[in-house]
Amino acid sequence: MTIKTIEIEGHENTIRIDRCYANGEYGARVTILTDEVCRLAASENRESRWAKACTVAALVYGRDKKGRPAATNSMIHEVWTELDRVAGC
């Protein structure tokens, strides 16, 4: 089974993760309404994918006083797993 779209009800808005195809490879595109937040290519390294998962987790769970995602590492990891699932990693 291939997951092509996921919608997550975030802290303030609905976040949509879609599969996209650009530059000859599959990936995931994260949008809020019509604004693109980030793109994740299936070939990106782990550190880059983790950083983008932190960005999306901050949108889903909100931010703490220091500006970090108000989420545990396992919550961020769940977001990362879903991003990878849509991107086809």
Side-chain angles (χ1 to χ4, degrees):
M1 175 172 64
T2 303
I3 307 294
K4 294 185 179 179
T5 301
I6 294 176
E7 285 191 8
I8 302 170
E9 189 66 34
H11 186 261
E12 295 180 9
N13 293 312
T14 300
I15 294 102
R16 183 177 176 99
I17 305 169
D18 295 313
R19 177 171 283 186
C20 65
Y21 187 79
N23 300 329
E25 66 180 343
Y26 284 103
R29 182 181 61 179
V30 180
T31 56
I32 295 177
L33 301 175
T34 58
D35 299 329
E36 184 173 305
V37 176
C38 66
R39 285 184 183 246
L40 178 118
S43 63
E44 287 186 34
N45 61 21
R46 292 176 54 89
E47 292 81 18
S48 174
R49 293 192 343 253
W50 175 260
K52 291 180 182 180
C54 287
T55 302
V56 175
L59 297 172
V60 173
Y61 298 111
R63 296 187 180 272
D64 64 7
K65 292 179 182 178
K66 295 181 180 179
R68 298 176 302 204
T72 63
N73 279 343
S74 50
M75 295 163 86
I76 297 170
H77 196 275
E78 288 176 3
V79 172
W80 186 16
T81 301
E82 296 308 316
L83 284 170
D84 281 352
R85 231 167 129 189
V86 173
C89 297

